[in-house]
């Protein structure tokens, strides 16, 4: 009897772990749910086994094939159960990014998924279960509806609906008439550059104390540095929509009330230069912000023919635009690919500088070094332009970086710990802001950098005056939770 039921139990454990339900074990109150899912999935497998027709068993096998394909990506292992963040990443990624992601999937996940599928195939068609009883139709229907496998598909459907609702809200907001009710504008600099980085965890910058010398240029410059800047969410889409747009009392982003429309109504000439791709006005959350800029430059279309392009090409565009608008106050947004996995693909001609590290970590650290030189090139161009300027850099989110790999997840503080600094043409000395600042305050900080006053933003929460925030909240794809409740230091 034990032998008969042990096989489906092991299979159900394999599926529940591979689909990400293991993360329920991380909290004592949720741990029983994992075991319920394992037990229900066991009965689900037994129920499928009892069907007489091979055709219906084949239909279920195809279902398991899709599940194993998902498991082979490692997403469930690394990011836990299905969530809005996973769905958003799927919808917002183009084919080039998808192939890059698959190219760096750890082989252990693929081997696990292949073995799981073969074992499932053997169980459904060949394993002897003569000692297992038959279920009544009502119980069989209940088993087929309530089990770990079905729960995964239900979570996927709910996350997709939630994503589409958020996307629809963003699109609706984007058509609204914008009025920032600007009271006054006192520009401090002729050119203001906002560099939006990608996937940079600040602990791996020597600027923030990393052992490896990854930021030689930045480390010697008179920067204004926020020591503890916390991203709003752990991936690009959910983070930047909550960083670059006004968030209402219900924590919903008002996408039309964004950094670009604020700068435009303040009288600035606005530009958006991006290496992240553009799939159309209604396709990506970030493009809904970018389309408001007076001038837009996308290095790739973001469609299925998108290719890997060097961030450095944006420096050339910036140089041209600076010469084109010498008599205007310019606000220029530069959206990098940065250290986006696979970081090795982001290096192009840049050298791998940390040979003592495993290859993937070598590439990740080298991509941060490339970021350092990217900022230096922009700084050099702005100096040559001979006008006053400000460079503001922050990353959209961090990463969980292990000894030999890195990935995005929502459970560790590392995924929210990002760099934030400002470098100005008139800076004389470095200024460390030894305080915790939430990216939910970025709109207030941005208005302060632009010298804009509006009753819709708090002018007392500029970079100098904003108080230390020990109660930062973050969006973990499912809900808003206290940052201090996350794992890690």
């Amino acid at each position: 009897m034990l032998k008969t039921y042990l096989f489906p139990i092991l299979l159900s454990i394999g599926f529940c772990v591979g689909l990400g339900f293991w993360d329920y074990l991380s909290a004592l109150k949720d741990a029983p749910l994992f075991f319920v899912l394992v037990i229900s999935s066991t009965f689900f497998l037994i129920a499928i086994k009892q069907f007489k027709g091979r055709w219906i068993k084949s239909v279920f096998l195809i279902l398991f094939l899709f599940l194993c394909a998902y498991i082979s990506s490692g997403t469930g292992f690394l990011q836990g159960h299905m969530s809005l963040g996973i769905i958003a990443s799927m919808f917002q990624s183009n084919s080039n990014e998808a192939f890059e992601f698959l190219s760096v999937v750890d082989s252990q996940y693929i081997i696990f998924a292949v073995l799981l599928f073969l074992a499932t195939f053997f169980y459904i068609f060949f394993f002897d279960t003569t000692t297992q009883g038959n279920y009544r139709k009502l119980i069989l229907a209940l088993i087929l509806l309530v089990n770990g496998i079905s729960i995964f598909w239900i979570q996927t459907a709910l996350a997709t609906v939630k994503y589409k609702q958020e996307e629809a809200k963003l699109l609706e907001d984007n058509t609204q008439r914008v009025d920032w009710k600007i009271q006054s504008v006192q520009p401090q600099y002729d050119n203001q550059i906002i560099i939006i980085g990608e996937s940079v965890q600040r602990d791996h910058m020597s600027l923030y104390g990393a052992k490896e010398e990854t930021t030689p240029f930045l480390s010697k410059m008179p920067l204004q540095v926020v020591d503890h800047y916390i991203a709003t969410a752990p991936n690009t889409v959910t983070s930047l929509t909550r960083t670059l747009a006004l968030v209402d009392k219900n924590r919903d982003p008002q996408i039309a009330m964004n950094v670009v429309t604020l700068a435009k109504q303040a009288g600035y000439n606005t530009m958006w230069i991006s290496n992240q791709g553009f799939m159309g006005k209604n396709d990506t959350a970030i493009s809904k912000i970018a389309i408001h800029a007076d001038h837009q430059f996308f290095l790739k279309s973001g469609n299925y023919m998108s290719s890997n392009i060097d961030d450095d090409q944006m420096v050339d565009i910036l140089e041209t635009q600076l010469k084109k608008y010498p008599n205007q106050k310019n606000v220029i947004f530069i959206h990098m690919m940065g250290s986006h996995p696979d970081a090795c693909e982001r290096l192009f001609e840049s050298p791998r500088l940390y040979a003592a590290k495993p290859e993937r970590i070598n590439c990740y650290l080298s991509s941060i070094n490339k970021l350092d030189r990217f900022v230096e090139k922009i700084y050099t161009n702005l100096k040559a332009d001979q006008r006053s300027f400000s460079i503001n850099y922050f990353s959209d989110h961090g990463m969980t970086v292990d000894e030999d790999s890195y990935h995005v997840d929502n459970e560790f503080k590392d995924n929210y710990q990002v760099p934030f600094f400002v470098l100005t043409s008139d800076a004389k000395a470095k200024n460390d802001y030894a305080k915790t600042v939430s990216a939910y305050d970025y709109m207030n900080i941005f208005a302060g950098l632009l010298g804009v006053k509006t009753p819709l933003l708090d002018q007392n929460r500029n970079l100098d005056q904003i108080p230390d925030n020990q109660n930062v909240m973050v969006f973990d794809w499912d809900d808003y939770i206290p940052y201090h409740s996350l794992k890690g230091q």
Side-chain angles (χ1 to χ4, degrees):
M1 180 69 71
L2 178 61
K3 181 180 177 181
T4 303
Y5 285 91
L6 182 60
F7 197 179
I9 290 174
L10 293 175
L11 287 176
S12 66
I13 291 174
F15 278 106
C16 286
V17 171
L19 295 175
F21 294 126
W22 60 265
D23 62 359
Y24 291 127
L25 294 172
S26 61
L28 186 62
K29 64 181 179 64
D30 295 330
L33 182 57
F34 175 81
F35 296 104
V36 169
L37 291 172
V38 168
I39 293 170
S40 64
S41 299
T42 300
F43 286 111
F44 177 69
L45 287 163
I46 293 173
I48 293 171
K49 178 68 177 173
Q50 292 179 1
F51 283 110
K52 303 298 183 183
R54 292 181 65 86
W55 68 271
I56 194 167
K57 290 183 178 180
S58 298
V59 169
F60 277 106
L61 189 66
I62 293 173
L63 168 70
F64 287 118
L65 178 62
F66 281 110
L67 291 175
C68 288
Y70 174 80
I71 290 171
S72 70
S73 72
T75 303
F77 289 101
L78 299 173
Q79 299 188 26
H81 69 275
M82 181 57 69
S83 65
L84 172 64
I86 295 173
I87 291 297
S89 296
M90 290 179 179
F91 274 102
Q92 297 287 340
S93 295
N94 55 48
S95 60
N96 187 60
E97 292 172 336
F99 281 121
E100 279 185 7
F101 171 77
L102 293 175
S103 71
V104 297
V105 169
D106 198 314
S107 60
Q108 64 181 340
Y109 304 133
I110 298 174
I111 294 172
F112 180 92
V114 170
L115 292 177
L116 184 60
F117 178 75
L118 292 176
T120 305
F121 174 79
F122 175 78
Y123 173 75
I124 291 176
F125 287 102
F126 300 107
F127 188 67
D128 181 14
T129 57
T130 55
T131 59
Q132 292 178 355
N134 290 319
Y135 298 121
R136 294 171 180 250
K137 290 184 178 180
L138 182 60
I139 296 176
L140 180 62
L142 184 63
I143 290 171
L144 293 177
L145 287 173
V146 183
N147 60 81
I149 307 301
S150 298
I151 294 298
F152 170 80
W153 291 114
I154 291 171
Q155 287 180 339
T156 302
L158 291 176
T160 301
V161 169
K162 189 174 181 180
Y163 170 80
K164 286 299 182 181
Q165 288 175 339
E166 183 165 309
E167 184 181 54
K169 181 66 165 57
L170 294 177
L171 180 59
E172 177 186 347
D173 287 347
N174 220 37
T175 62
Q176 295 177 356
R177 186 175 180 274
V178 177
D179 183 6
W180 275 101
K181 305 183 187 302
I182 292 175
Q183 298 169 325
S184 65
V185 182
Q186 294 181 321
Q188 298 181 61
Y189 302 99
D190 297 318
N191 292 307
Q192 304 223 37
I193 313 298
I194 294 85
I195 304 175
I196 305 167
E198 169 70 56
S199 303
V200 177
Q201 209 284 338
R202 63 171 178 254
D203 289 346
H204 299 277
M205 303 175 74
S206 49
L207 174 65
Y208 280 88
K211 294 180 180 178
E212 294 80 12
E213 184 61 77
T214 53
T215 55
F217 170 73
L218 293 173
S219 295
K220 68 182 181 183
M221 298 304 291
L223 305 176
Q224 301 175 63
V225 182
V226 176
D227 286 353
H228 303 287
Y229 186 74
I230 309 300
T232 60
N235 73 324
T236 301
V237 177
T238 54
S239 173
L240 291 185
T241 52
R242 290 165 173 78
T243 302
L244 301 178
L246 189 67
V247 178
D248 64 19
K249 294 180 180 179
N250 297 321
R251 296 196 177 101
D252 293 325
Q254 305 300 303
I255 202 67
M257 304 292 285
N258 59 61
V259 287
V260 178
T261 56
L262 176 63
K264 283 183 66 174
Q265 289 196 6
Y268 286 95
N269 179 41
T270 57
M271 305 176 209
W272 190 282
I273 307 173
S274 175
N275 194 18
Q276 286 267 347
F278 181 76
M279 296 176 67
K281 294 182 179 181
N282 302 329
D283 292 315
T284 68
I286 311 309
S287 69
K288 291 178 177 68
I289 295 174
I291 59 172
H292 293 284
D294 296 308
H295 316 283
Q296 304 156 30
F297 306 89
F298 290 88
L299 297 189
K300 51 192 177 187
S301 64
N303 59 27
Y304 288 102
M305 299 302 292
S306 292
S307 57
N308 189 28
I309 298 175
D310 196 338
D311 279 336
D312 285 349
Q313 291 191 29
M314 292 190 289
V315 178
D316 298 330
I317 296 175
L318 173 64
E319 183 179 6
T320 300
Q321 295 306 307
L322 289 174
K323 294 176 181 177
K324 193 172 181 180
Y325 302 102
N327 300 315
Q328 291 182 255
K329 303 291 186 183
N330 301 307
V331 173
I332 305 172
F333 300 90
I334 300 178
H335 195 185
M336 302 178 66
M337 283 300 290
S339 300
H340 189 292
D342 175 17
C344 293
E345 292 290 325
R346 310 296 167 218
L347 294 178
F348 293 90
E349 301 302 321
S350 298
R352 290 165 167 78
L353 300 172
Y354 310 93
K357 297 287 186 179
E359 175 69 1
R360 294 194 68 196
I361 302 303
N362 184 354
C363 289
Y364 186 70
L365 296 177
S366 296
S367 70
I368 295 177
N369 184 272
K370 181 178 170 68
L371 160 66
D372 184 72
R373 285 180 280 114
F374 181 81
V375 178
E376 183 177 12
K377 290 175 184 177
I378 289 176
Y379 178 83
T380 301
N381 271 305
L382 290 168
K383 290 286 285 185
D385 187 64
Q386 297 184 338
R387 303 179 72 201
S388 64
F389 64 84
S390 168
I391 301 172
N392 171 211
Y393 172 90
F394 63 89
S395 182
D396 55 358
H397 59 86
M399 302 280 280
T400 294
V401 183
D402 302 318
E403 291 185 0
D404 58 358
S405 65
Y406 52 89
H407 63 272
V408 172
D409 68 49
N410 63 339
E411 294 188 320
F412 289 87
K413 292 177 180 177
D414 288 358
N415 291 272
Y416 305 82
Q417 295 173 343
V418 295
F420 184 103
F421 61 80
V422 176
L423 174 59
T424 63
S425 54
D426 58 352
K428 304 299 181 184
K430 186 176 180 181
N431 184 6
D432 281 316
Y433 292 101
K435 55 189 175 184
T436 299
V437 176
S438 170
Y440 280 105
D441 265 310
Y442 184 73
M443 288 300 303
N444 293 314
I445 295 171
F446 178 72
L449 294 173
L450 266 58
V452 174
K453 289 185 179 180
T454 165
L456 301 181
L457 296 170
D458 189 343
Q459 66 188 54
N460 294 318
R461 298 185 73 83
N462 57 56
L463 194 55
D464 288 321
Q465 295 176 285
I466 191 168
D468 182 39
N469 185 351
Q470 292 299 313
N471 297 303
V472 172
M473 301 292 287
V474 295
F475 181 66
D476 73 342
W477 299 335
D478 292 319
D479 203 355
Y480 290 89
I481 64 171
Y483 166 74
H484 65 73
S485 68
L486 298 165
K487 299 177 184 177
Q489 298 181 348

